[in-house]
Amino acid sequence: MKIRYFDNAATTRVKKEVLEEMLPYFNERYGNPSSLYSIGRISKKAIEEARKKVANLINANPNEIYFTGCGSESDNTIIKGIAYSRRKQGKHIITSQIEHPAVLHTCQSLEKQGFEVTYLKVNKDGFINIDDLRNSIRNDTILISIMFANNEIGTIQPIEVISKIAKMYNIVFHTDAVQACGNIPIDVKKMGIDALSLSGHKLYAPKGVGALYVKNGIEFEKFMDGGHQEKNKRAGTESVAGIVGLGKACELANQNLREHMNHLKELRDYFISQVEEKIQGAILNGSKQDRLPGNANFAFPTVDGEALLLNLDSKGICASSGSACTSGTSKPSHVLSSIGLSDELAHSSLRITFGEDNTKEDIDYLVTSLCEIVQKLQKR
Ligand SMILES: *Cc1c(COP(=O)(O)O)cnc(C)c1O
């Protein structure tokens, strides 16, 4: 059976060009980038080339990019790193209720160590309230961490407004841009972003590599002790092939951003209009505007989400009920709860996330299957 993949927010397929660029670094070019002989220098040079490409995608300087093992590591590194290095200035952090667990659980871990965290509420579309943000700032606030775009409902936060407020109070502003990078334009200079996390496997590079941007001049304590790699901020021999892959993926994303966005947007809008037309009672979760181009999330009242996924799977369709990180537990998604969905509606929700391989024909198949399955599972 043909697999139709609509779970690009969970992970993406490594692009052919990305894989090809990586392959030599597994054997011919296996030198340790810290070694001084020629094949070591080749690896070192490949890393520095990749660093430029990652920097280019978000308009950072190459020396502001640190390679990490994943998006979660980037989030941990900067949130803990800022907290520990500024603990004399303050112990208060502001974030939102709908962050990825990599941010939420990091903040919870800091709370156990004596830091205080404000988790901003969001409205029914998933936006934080700017007045709430302003009002929650204290004399001892050291960090604001608000995600660029949400992984479940695709809501894009007003990043420039947030960064201006952070700047006004001299607070570091970090954004988890794992879902946004490669899908919408990001310019850290223009947007006033101090720190940003991204991950390879969400933008057609492999799993197990990520990057962290930190603006020059912002101090943070390192996360891992050991060798002096990554300007002494991230010990451990670099995943050269992974980094090369991430660099290539960022280069391609940069070249094709407009086309890619338009392609996803077209698929998403077609899917949303088809569902609204053909499935009675379907409710779109999240905002219609300011939404990631490839994200759709619907609640189908009275339909059991797990049964829905299993039925879709039997037709070769991969989708998600919430996020990959919360599925497998019976608790409703914290994001859907935060935007006001009842537990029942949250359990009836389906996330569809499009990627570059999807076609209109895929969506017709998806909509037909969905109509059939929802009708079968709906309780009357
Ligand atoms: C996937 C994801 C992460 C975690 O990235 P990993 O590379 O899987 O650790 C963090 N934040 C968001 C918004 C994500 O979607």
Side-chain angles (χ1 to χ4, degrees):
M1 190 172 34
K2 186 175 169 189
I3 294 292
R4 321 258 180 165
Y5 188 76
F6 302 105
D7 206 11
N8 288 275
T11 196
T12 55
R13 185 179 59 84
V14 174
K15 273 188 195 168
K16 222 190 220 98
E17 300 95 310
V18 170
L19 180 62
E20 273 164 15
E21 193 104 346
M22 292 172 62
L23 285 175
Y25 293 92
F26 287 109
N27 46 31
E28 299 105 84
R29 304 184 194 160
Y30 58 84
N32 186 319
S34 297
S35 301
L36 291 178
Y37 39 73
S38 63
I39 60 164
R41 292 197 308 268
I42 287 172
S43 293
K44 176 83 182 152
K45 186 153 175 276
I47 291 176
E48 296 318 314
E49 285 305 312
R51 201 183 306 281
K52 283 184 207 157
K53 292 172 183 171
V54 175
N56 263 339
L57 179 63
I58 58 170
N59 194 28
N61 301 322
N63 67 356
E64 295 172 319
I65 302 294
Y66 302 84
F67 289 111
T68 64
C70 56
S72 302
E73 188 190 320
S74 298
D75 286 337
N76 271 267
T77 302
I78 195 63
I79 295 171
K80 291 176 181 164
I82 292 288
Y84 298 152
S85 75
R86 295 201 164 198
R87 73 174 5 136
K88 287 211 181 74
Q89 281 155 262
K91 56 174 188 206
H92 182 233
I93 294 167
I94 300 171
T95 185
S96 82
Q97 287 185 352
I98 62 164
E99 298 296 315
H100 188 275
V103 169
L104 280 183
H105 295 168
T106 300
C107 287
Q108 286 164 10
S109 145
L110 286 171
E111 280 182 290
K112 289 193 193 119
Q113 301 167 50
F115 289 90
E116 290 171 14
V117 182
T118 300
Y119 300 90
L120 296 174
K121 290 196 178 70
V122 296
N123 68 11
K124 69 170 189 14
D125 286 340
F127 295 106
I128 64 158
N129 180 308
I130 294 300
D131 288 329
D132 285 355
L133 170 64
R134 250 192 229 102
N135 293 335
S136 63
I137 290 173
R138 316 192 318 204
N139 285 335
D140 64 343
T141 306
I142 50 174
L143 173 69
I144 296 174
S145 179
I146 303 286
M147 71 199 316
F148 207 114
N150 184 264
N151 45 307
E152 294 189 40
I153 53 173
T155 304
I156 301 170
Q157 300 294 340
I159 292 298
E160 287 179 61
V161 178
I162 300 169
S163 80
K164 281 204 184 88
I165 294 172
K167 191 150 286 119
M168 217 146 52
Y169 293 90
N170 195 25
I171 300 166
V172 174
F173 173 50
H174 164 253
T175 186
D176 175 338
V178 171
Q179 291 291 336
C181 267
N183 284 320
I184 51 174
I186 298 179
D187 182 327
V188 292
K189 293 202 173 91
K190 185 172 143 263
M191 295 175 166
I193 298 166
D194 295 324
L196 174 149
S197 305
L198 63 94
S199 172
H201 74 105
K202 305 284 176 76
L203 70 147
Y204 309 97
K207 296 159 188 65
V209 63
L212 172 66
Y213 148 81
V214 185
K215 193 166 115 185
N216 279 331
I218 293 178
E219 290 299 317
F220 63 100
E221 248 178 55
K222 67 176 173 229
F223 179 61
M224 192 133 64
D225 293 302
H228 297 298
Q229 291 90 350
E230 297 298 295
K231 291 201 290 179
N232 203 19
K233 290 298 191 192
R234 204 276 187 177
T237 301
E238 300 86 338
S239 167
V240 182
I243 289 170
V244 166
L246 177 58
K248 185 67 183 175
C250 287
E251 179 183 52
L252 293 172
N254 211 6
Q255 284 165 3
N256 304 324
L257 194 58
R258 283 283 147 204
E259 271 166 62
H260 178 64
M261 273 176 70
N262 289 338
H263 174 62
L264 296 187
K265 230 181 234 165
E266 211 169 288
L267 296 176
R268 177 199 69 189
D269 292 345
Y270 177 61
F271 174 69
I272 290 178
S273 68
Q274 286 286 296
V275 169
E276 287 179 339
E277 185 187 316
K278 295 186 170 155
I279 306 182
Q280 289 257 314
I283 302 162
L284 182 70
N285 295 323
S287 165
K288 268 215 158 159
Q289 286 82 40
D290 298 318
R291 180 181 200 115
L292 281 175
N295 173 292
N297 191 317
F298 275 103
F300 301 103
T302 75
V303 172
D304 176 52
E306 202 163 310
L308 182 58
L309 283 187
L310 292 175
N311 277 272
L312 287 169
D313 180 41
S314 74
K315 292 182 178 292
I317 294 172
C318 308
S320 167
S321 58
S323 75
C325 311
T326 41
S327 65
T329 66
S330 60
K331 267 175 60 179
S333 137
H334 69 287
V335 175
L336 298 178
S337 299
S338 294
I339 61 170
L341 263 66
S342 64
D343 288 3
E344 288 72 28
L345 267 190
H347 279 306
S348 300
S349 292
L350 178 74
R351 179 184 74 178
I352 296 288
T353 45
F354 302 107
E356 60 160 16
D357 295 337
N358 291 131
T359 62
K360 189 154 172 284
E361 190 264 329
D362 281 340
I363 299 190
D364 288 328
Y365 179 82
L366 170 65
V367 171
T368 308
S369 309
L370 205 51
C371 285
E372 196 185 297
I373 296 167
V374 166
Q375 204 157 47
K376 186 173 86 180
L377 297 176
Q378 246 166 1
K379 297 184 192 79
R380 291 162 223 273

mmCIF file of all heavy atoms in Angstrom, residues 9-11 68-75 98-103 147-152 176-180 197-202 206-210 323 325 351, ligand 1:
data_model
loop_
_atom_site.group_PDB
_atom_site.id
_atom_site.type_symbol
_atom_site.label_atom_id
_atom_site.label_comp_id
_atom_site.label_asym_id
_atom_site.label_seq_id
_atom_site.Cartn_x
_atom_site.Cartn_y
_atom_site.Cartn_z
ATOM 1 N N ALA A 9 5.128 17.627 10.964
ATOM 2 C CA ALA A 9 5.501 18.332 12.190
ATOM 3 C C ALA A 9 6.161 17.373 13.178
ATOM 4 O O ALA A 9 6.818 17.803 14.119
ATOM 5 C CB ALA A 9 4.286 19.005 12.824
ATOM 6 N N ALA A 10 5.960 16.067 12.968
ATOM 7 C CA ALA A 10 6.608 15.077 13.836
ATOM 8 C C ALA A 10 8.034 14.843 13.366
ATOM 9 O O ALA A 10 8.975 14.808 14.155
ATOM 10 C CB ALA A 10 5.825 13.769 13.833
ATOM 11 N N THR A 11 8.182 14.662 12.072
ATOM 12 C CA THR A 11 9.512 14.576 11.467
ATOM 13 C C THR A 11 9.355 14.614 9.949
ATOM 14 O O THR A 11 8.250 14.408 9.434
ATOM 15 C CB THR A 11 10.265 13.299 11.905
ATOM 16 O OG1 THR A 11 11.665 13.455 11.606
ATOM 17 C CG2 THR A 11 9.754 12.050 11.208
ATOM 18 N N THR A 68 24.096 21.451 18.046
ATOM 19 C CA THR A 68 23.693 20.634 19.196
ATOM 20 C C THR A 68 23.205 19.276 18.683
ATOM 21 O O THR A 68 23.241 19.020 17.474
ATOM 22 C CB THR A 68 22.530 21.304 19.954
ATOM 23 O OG1 THR A 68 21.383 21.359 19.085
ATOM 24 C CG2 THR A 68 22.885 22.718 20.412
ATOM 25 N N GLY A 69 22.722 18.457 19.601
ATOM 26 C CA GLY A 69 22.245 17.130 19.225
ATOM 27 C C GLY A 69 20.792 17.094 18.778
ATOM 28 O O GLY A 69 20.359 16.129 18.159
ATOM 29 N N CYS A 70 20.020 18.126 19.077
ATOM 30 C CA CYS A 70 18.601 18.155 18.686
ATOM 31 C C CYS A 70 17.971 19.475 19.136
ATOM 32 O O CYS A 70 18.604 20.266 19.859
ATOM 33 C CB CYS A 70 17.837 16.988 19.315
ATOM 34 S SG CYS A 70 17.941 16.899 21.111
ATOM 35 N N GLY A 71 16.745 19.666 18.735
ATOM 36 C CA GLY A 71 16.020 20.863 19.149
ATOM 37 C C GLY A 71 15.863 20.927 20.663
ATOM 38 O O GLY A 71 15.991 21.994 21.277
ATOM 39 N N SER A 72 15.589 19.794 21.270
ATOM 40 C CA SER A 72 15.422 19.756 22.722
ATOM 41 C C SER A 72 16.701 20.194 23.429
ATOM 42 O O SER A 72 16.654 20.916 24.435
ATOM 43 C CB SER A 72 15.056 18.346 23.182
ATOM 44 O OG SER A 72 13.881 17.908 22.558
ATOM 45 N N GLU A 73 17.837 19.756 22.897
ATOM 46 C CA GLU A 73 19.103 20.160 23.512
ATOM 47 C C GLU A 73 19.321 21.668 23.373
ATOM 48 O O GLU A 73 19.806 22.331 24.305
ATOM 49 C CB GLU A 73 20.287 19.402 22.902
ATOM 50 C CG GLU A 73 21.572 19.678 23.684
ATOM 51 C CD GLU A 73 22.828 19.156 23.019
ATOM 52 O OE1 GLU A 73 22.807 18.050 22.453
ATOM 53 O OE2 GLU A 73 23.843 19.873 23.064
ATOM 54 N N SER A 74 18.948 22.222 22.233
ATOM 55 C CA SER A 74 19.090 23.671 22.046
ATOM 56 C C SER A 74 18.244 24.409 23.088
ATOM 57 O O SER A 74 18.711 25.364 23.709
ATOM 58 C CB SER A 74 18.644 24.079 20.636
ATOM 59 O OG SER A 74 19.457 23.455 19.666
ATOM 60 N N ASP A 75 16.998 23.961 23.278
ATOM 61 C CA ASP A 75 16.118 24.593 24.269
ATOM 62 C C ASP A 75 16.711 24.481 25.681
ATOM 63 O O ASP A 75 16.776 25.461 26.423
ATOM 64 C CB ASP A 75 14.723 23.932 24.249
ATOM 65 C CG ASP A 75 13.898 24.324 23.020
ATOM 66 O OD1 ASP A 75 14.180 25.396 22.431
ATOM 67 O OD2 ASP A 75 12.976 23.579 22.655
ATOM 68 N N ILE A 98 1.696 26.795 26.082
ATOM 69 C CA ILE A 98 1.601 25.874 24.932
ATOM 70 C C ILE A 98 2.961 25.526 24.335
ATOM 71 O O ILE A 98 3.051 25.056 23.211
ATOM 72 C CB ILE A 98 0.670 26.436 23.832
ATOM 73 C CG1 ILE A 98 1.207 27.760 23.282
ATOM 74 C CG2 ILE A 98 -0.752 26.606 24.350
ATOM 75 C CD1 ILE A 98 0.550 28.165 21.950
ATOM 76 N N GLU A 99 4.029 25.741 25.100
ATOM 77 C CA GLU A 99 5.360 25.394 24.609
ATOM 78 C C GLU A 99 5.500 23.882 24.420
ATOM 79 O O GLU A 99 4.772 23.084 25.019
ATOM 80 C CB GLU A 99 6.421 25.867 25.605
ATOM 81 C CG GLU A 99 6.465 27.362 25.829
ATOM 82 C CD GLU A 99 6.858 28.166 24.592
ATOM 83 O OE1 GLU A 99 7.815 27.777 23.895
ATOM 84 O OE2 GLU A 99 6.203 29.180 24.317
ATOM 85 N N HIS A 100 6.486 23.523 23.631
ATOM 86 C CA HIS A 100 6.880 22.120 23.493
ATOM 87 C C HIS A 100 7.419 21.626 24.841
ATOM 88 O O HIS A 100 7.986 22.420 25.600
ATOM 89 C CB HIS A 100 7.963 22.038 22.413
ATOM 90 C CG HIS A 100 8.343 20.641 22.021
ATOM 91 N ND1 HIS A 100 9.271 19.902 22.715
ATOM 92 C CD2 HIS A 100 7.910 19.851 21.009
ATOM 93 C CE1 HIS A 100 9.398 18.716 22.135
ATOM 94 N NE2 HIS A 100 8.593 18.655 21.103
ATOM 95 N N PRO A 101 7.280 20.322 25.137
ATOM 96 C CA PRO A 101 7.834 19.805 26.400
ATOM 97 C C PRO A 101 9.310 20.146 26.606
ATOM 98 O O PRO A 101 9.758 20.278 27.758
ATOM 99 C CB PRO A 101 7.647 18.289 26.269
ATOM 100 C CG PRO A 101 6.501 18.120 25.325
ATOM 101 C CD PRO A 101 6.527 19.295 24.397
ATOM 102 N N ALA A 102 10.062 20.309 25.545
ATOM 103 C CA ALA A 102 11.490 20.640 25.685
ATOM 104 C C ALA A 102 11.676 21.970 26.405
ATOM 105 O O ALA A 102 12.693 22.194 27.064
ATOM 106 C CB ALA A 102 12.170 20.678 24.315
ATOM 107 N N VAL A 103 10.701 22.857 26.280
ATOM 108 C CA VAL A 103 10.748 24.140 27.003
ATOM 109 C C VAL A 103 10.000 24.015 28.341
ATOM 110 O O VAL A 103 10.524 24.381 29.393
ATOM 111 C CB VAL A 103 10.142 25.270 26.149
ATOM 112 C CG1 VAL A 103 9.944 26.543 26.972
ATOM 113 C CG2 VAL A 103 11.034 25.562 24.943
ATOM 114 N N MET A 147 7.566 30.345 21.990
ATOM 115 C CA MET A 147 7.799 29.641 20.732
ATOM 116 C C MET A 147 7.380 30.477 19.522
ATOM 117 O O MET A 147 6.436 31.264 19.591
ATOM 118 C CB MET A 147 7.107 28.282 20.727
ATOM 119 C CG MET A 147 5.607 28.321 20.626
ATOM 120 S SD MET A 147 4.813 26.767 21.170
ATOM 121 C CE MET A 147 5.794 25.487 20.429
ATOM 122 N N PHE A 148 8.081 30.309 18.424
ATOM 123 C CA PHE A 148 7.774 31.047 17.196
ATOM 124 C C PHE A 148 6.447 30.550 16.638
ATOM 125 O O PHE A 148 5.532 31.344 16.402
ATOM 126 C CB PHE A 148 8.907 30.839 16.177
ATOM 127 C CG PHE A 148 9.066 31.957 15.203
ATOM 128 C CD1 PHE A 148 10.210 32.747 15.199
ATOM 129 C CD2 PHE A 148 8.078 32.233 14.271
ATOM 130 C CE1 PHE A 148 10.358 33.791 14.301
ATOM 131 C CE2 PHE A 148 8.231 33.276 13.367
ATOM 132 C CZ PHE A 148 9.373 34.050 13.381
ATOM 133 N N ALA A 149 6.335 29.247 16.453
ATOM 134 C CA ALA A 149 5.102 28.666 15.905
ATOM 135 C C ALA A 149 4.829 27.357 16.618
ATOM 136 O O ALA A 149 5.746 26.590 16.893
ATOM 137 C CB ALA A 149 5.240 28.434 14.408
ATOM 138 N N ASN A 150 3.561 27.129 16.907
ATOM 139 C CA ASN A 150 3.204 25.950 17.694
ATOM 140 C C ASN A 150 3.185 24.677 16.849
ATOM 141 O O ASN A 150 2.715 24.670 15.710
ATOM 142 C CB ASN A 150 1.847 26.166 18.369
ATOM 143 C CG ASN A 150 1.485 25.015 19.273
ATOM 144 O OD1 ASN A 150 0.767 24.104 18.879
ATOM 145 N ND2 ASN A 150 2.021 25.020 20.484
ATOM 146 N N ASN A 151 3.651 23.590 17.438
ATOM 147 C CA ASN A 151 3.761 22.327 16.713
ATOM 148 C C ASN A 151 2.424 21.600 16.543
ATOM 149 O O ASN A 151 2.292 20.746 15.689
ATOM 150 C CB ASN A 151 4.771 21.401 17.400
ATOM 151 C CG ASN A 151 4.612 21.351 18.904
ATOM 152 O OD1 ASN A 151 4.599 22.385 19.574
ATOM 153 N ND2 ASN A 151 4.458 20.164 19.439
ATOM 154 N N GLU A 152 1.429 21.937 17.343
ATOM 155 C CA GLU A 152 0.147 21.223 17.207
ATOM 156 C C GLU A 152 -0.875 22.001 16.386
ATOM 157 O O GLU A 152 -1.545 21.434 15.533
ATOM 158 C CB GLU A 152 -0.423 20.911 18.588
ATOM 159 C CG GLU A 152 0.454 19.927 19.356
ATOM 160 C CD GLU A 152 -0.201 19.454 20.631
ATOM 161 O OE1 GLU A 152 -1.422 19.214 20.617
ATOM 162 O OE2 GLU A 152 0.507 19.335 21.647
ATOM 163 N N ASP A 176 11.695 29.189 20.523
ATOM 164 C CA ASP A 176 11.801 27.842 19.965
ATOM 165 C C ASP A 176 11.194 27.918 18.561
ATOM 166 O O ASP A 176 9.978 28.002 18.405
ATOM 167 C CB ASP A 176 11.030 26.869 20.862
ATOM 168 C CG ASP A 176 10.987 25.446 20.295
ATOM 169 O OD1 ASP A 176 11.168 25.282 19.075
ATOM 170 O OD2 ASP A 176 10.752 24.518 21.075
ATOM 171 N N ALA A 177 12.077 27.911 17.557
ATOM 172 C CA ALA A 177 11.609 28.068 16.169
ATOM 173 C C ALA A 177 11.730 26.761 15.399
ATOM 174 O O ALA A 177 11.860 26.754 14.175
ATOM 175 C CB ALA A 177 12.394 29.182 15.476
ATOM 176 N N VAL A 178 11.660 25.646 16.136
ATOM 177 C CA VAL A 178 11.839 24.340 15.490
ATOM 178 C C VAL A 178 10.808 24.123 14.379
ATOM 179 O O VAL A 178 11.129 23.603 13.314
ATOM 180 C CB VAL A 178 11.781 23.207 16.541
ATOM 181 C CG1 VAL A 178 11.733 21.845 15.867
ATOM 182 C CG2 VAL A 178 12.972 23.289 17.488
ATOM 183 N N GLN A 179 9.561 24.547 14.600
ATOM 184 C CA GLN A 179 8.536 24.352 13.561
ATOM 185 C C GLN A 179 8.560 25.453 12.502
ATOM 186 O O GLN A 179 8.078 25.253 11.395
ATOM 187 C CB GLN A 179 7.139 24.325 14.195
ATOM 188 C CG GLN A 179 6.866 23.100 15.052
ATOM 189 C CD GLN A 179 6.754 21.811 14.244
ATOM 190 O OE1 GLN A 179 6.439 21.822 13.055
ATOM 191 N NE2 GLN A 179 7.025 20.698 14.897
ATOM 192 N N ALA A 180 9.089 26.588 12.863
ATOM 193 C CA ALA A 180 9.040 27.735 11.942
ATOM 194 C C ALA A 180 10.185 27.710 10.932
ATOM 195 O O ALA A 180 10.001 28.066 9.765
ATOM 196 C CB ALA A 180 9.073 29.035 12.747
ATOM 197 N N SER A 197 16.108 28.308 18.789
ATOM 198 C CA SER A 197 16.400 26.875 18.648
ATOM 199 C C SER A 197 15.839 26.365 17.331
ATOM 200 O O SER A 197 14.737 26.744 16.933
ATOM 201 C CB SER A 197 15.730 26.073 19.765
ATOM 202 O OG SER A 197 16.101 26.556 21.022
ATOM 203 N N LEU A 198 16.590 25.472 16.681
ATOM 204 C CA LEU A 198 16.060 24.788 15.505
ATOM 205 C C LEU A 198 16.539 23.346 15.504
ATOM 206 O O LEU A 198 17.468 23.001 16.231
ATOM 207 C CB LEU A 198 16.434 25.531 14.213
ATOM 208 C CG LEU A 198 17.897 25.666 13.825
ATOM 209 C CD1 LEU A 198 18.293 24.537 12.881
ATOM 210 C CD2 LEU A 198 18.142 26.989 13.126
ATOM 211 N N SER A 199 15.880 22.517 14.690
ATOM 212 C CA SER A 199 16.188 21.090 14.689
ATOM 213 C C SER A 199 16.243 20.551 13.269
ATOM 214 O O SER A 199 15.404 20.883 12.432
ATOM 215 C CB SER A 199 15.115 20.344 15.480
ATOM 216 O OG SER A 199 15.293 18.954 15.347
ATOM 217 N N GLY A 200 17.222 19.682 12.992
ATOM 218 C CA GLY A 200 17.412 19.141 11.649
ATOM 219 C C GLY A 200 16.217 18.375 11.110
ATOM 220 O O GLY A 200 15.761 18.627 9.994
ATOM 221 N N HIS A 201 15.683 17.466 11.912
ATOM 222 C CA HIS A 201 14.704 16.526 11.344
ATOM 223 C C HIS A 201 13.328 17.142 11.088
ATOM 224 O O HIS A 201 12.446 16.479 10.548
ATOM 225 C CB HIS A 201 14.593 15.263 12.210
ATOM 226 C CG HIS A 201 13.861 15.422 13.505
ATOM 227 N ND1 HIS A 201 12.589 14.936 13.688
ATOM 228 C CD2 HIS A 201 14.211 15.989 14.677
ATOM 229 C CE1 HIS A 201 12.200 15.184 14.932
ATOM 230 N NE2 HIS A 201 13.172 15.828 15.557
ATOM 231 N N LYS A 202 13.154 18.411 11.443
ATOM 232 C CA LYS A 202 11.901 19.071 11.111
ATOM 233 C C LYS A 202 12.014 19.857 9.796
ATOM 234 O O LYS A 202 11.044 20.430 9.337
ATOM 235 C CB LYS A 202 11.474 20.016 12.241
ATOM 236 C CG LYS A 202 11.373 19.366 13.636
ATOM 237 C CD LYS A 202 10.120 18.524 13.784
ATOM 238 C CE LYS A 202 10.034 17.798 15.117
ATOM 239 N NZ LYS A 202 9.673 18.608 16.250
ATOM 240 N N PRO A 206 18.651 15.156 8.897
ATOM 241 C CA PRO A 206 18.448 13.969 9.743
ATOM 242 C C PRO A 206 18.078 14.281 11.191
ATOM 243 O O PRO A 206 18.220 15.411 11.657
ATOM 244 C CB PRO A 206 19.808 13.265 9.681
ATOM 245 C CG PRO A 206 20.777 14.303 9.311
ATOM 246 C CD PRO A 206 20.054 15.320 8.487
ATOM 247 N N LYS A 207 17.636 13.256 11.873
ATOM 248 C CA LYS A 207 17.410 13.317 13.316
ATOM 249 C C LYS A 207 18.765 13.340 14.025
ATOM 250 O O LYS A 207 19.736 12.822 13.501
ATOM 251 C CB LYS A 207 16.598 12.100 13.751
ATOM 252 C CG LYS A 207 15.203 12.079 13.149
ATOM 253 C CD LYS A 207 14.604 10.681 13.152
ATOM 254 C CE LYS A 207 13.303 10.635 12.368
ATOM 255 N NZ LYS A 207 13.470 10.908 10.907
ATOM 256 N N GLY A 208 18.785 13.919 15.208
ATOM 257 C CA GLY A 208 20.021 13.891 15.986
ATOM 258 C C GLY A 208 20.970 15.032 15.697
ATOM 259 O O GLY A 208 22.160 14.944 16.025
ATOM 260 N N VAL A 209 20.488 16.085 15.078
ATOM 261 C CA VAL A 209 21.313 17.294 14.942
ATOM 262 C C VAL A 209 20.393 18.511 15.062
ATOM 263 O O VAL A 209 19.267 18.509 14.568
ATOM 264 C CB VAL A 209 22.127 17.310 13.622
ATOM 265 C CG1 VAL A 209 21.222 17.329 12.394
ATOM 266 C CG2 VAL A 209 23.108 18.483 13.589
ATOM 267 N N GLY A 210 20.875 19.505 15.760
ATOM 268 C CA GLY A 210 20.115 20.733 15.916
ATOM 269 C C GLY A 210 21.072 21.908 15.966
ATOM 270 O O GLY A 210 22.289 21.735 15.850
ATOM 271 N N SER A 323 0.526 15.886 19.457
ATOM 272 C CA SER A 323 1.893 15.906 18.962
ATOM 273 C C SER A 323 2.491 14.564 19.297
ATOM 274 O O SER A 323 2.024 13.874 20.198
ATOM 275 C CB SER A 323 2.682 17.030 19.602
ATOM 276 O OG SER A 323 2.996 16.694 20.923
ATOM 277 N N CYS A 325 4.875 13.831 20.867
ATOM 278 C CA CYS A 325 5.386 13.756 22.227
ATOM 279 C C CYS A 325 4.283 13.507 23.236
ATOM 280 O O CYS A 325 4.535 13.026 24.321
ATOM 281 C CB CYS A 325 6.114 15.043 22.588
ATOM 282 S SG CYS A 325 7.289 15.517 21.340
ATOM 283 N N ARG A 351 -4.292 16.106 13.853
ATOM 284 C CA ARG A 351 -3.344 17.054 13.269
ATOM 285 C C ARG A 351 -2.846 16.500 11.940
ATOM 286 O O ARG A 351 -2.381 15.371 11.867
ATOM 287 C CB ARG A 351 -2.146 17.264 14.194
ATOM 288 C CG ARG A 351 -1.124 18.228 13.603
ATOM 289 C CD ARG A 351 0.106 18.370 14.477
ATOM 290 N NE ARG A 351 0.973 17.198 14.397
ATOM 291 C CZ ARG A 351 2.133 17.102 15.047
ATOM 292 N NH1 ARG A 351 2.545 18.072 15.828
ATOM 293 N NH2 ARG A 351 2.867 16.007 14.932
HETATM 294 C C1 LIG B 1 10.171 18.711 17.535
HETATM 295 C C2 LIG B 1 10.195 19.917 18.377
HETATM 296 C C3 LIG B 1 11.175 20.104 19.361
HETATM 297 C C4 LIG B 1 12.192 19.056 19.685
HETATM 298 O O1 LIG B 1 13.120 18.843 18.667
HETATM 299 P P1 LIG B 1 13.979 17.487 18.686
HETATM 300 O O2 LIG B 1 15.022 17.708 17.645
HETATM 301 O O3 LIG B 1 13.032 16.388 18.351
HETATM 302 O O4 LIG B 1 14.545 17.363 20.046
HETATM 303 C C5 LIG B 1 11.153 21.268 20.082
HETATM 304 N N1 LIG B 1 10.231 22.221 19.854
HETATM 305 C C6 LIG B 1 9.281 22.086 18.915
HETATM 306 C C7 LIG B 1 8.305 23.198 18.691
HETATM 307 C C8 LIG B 1 9.225 20.936 18.153
HETATM 308 O O5 LIG B 1 8.272 20.804 17.227
#
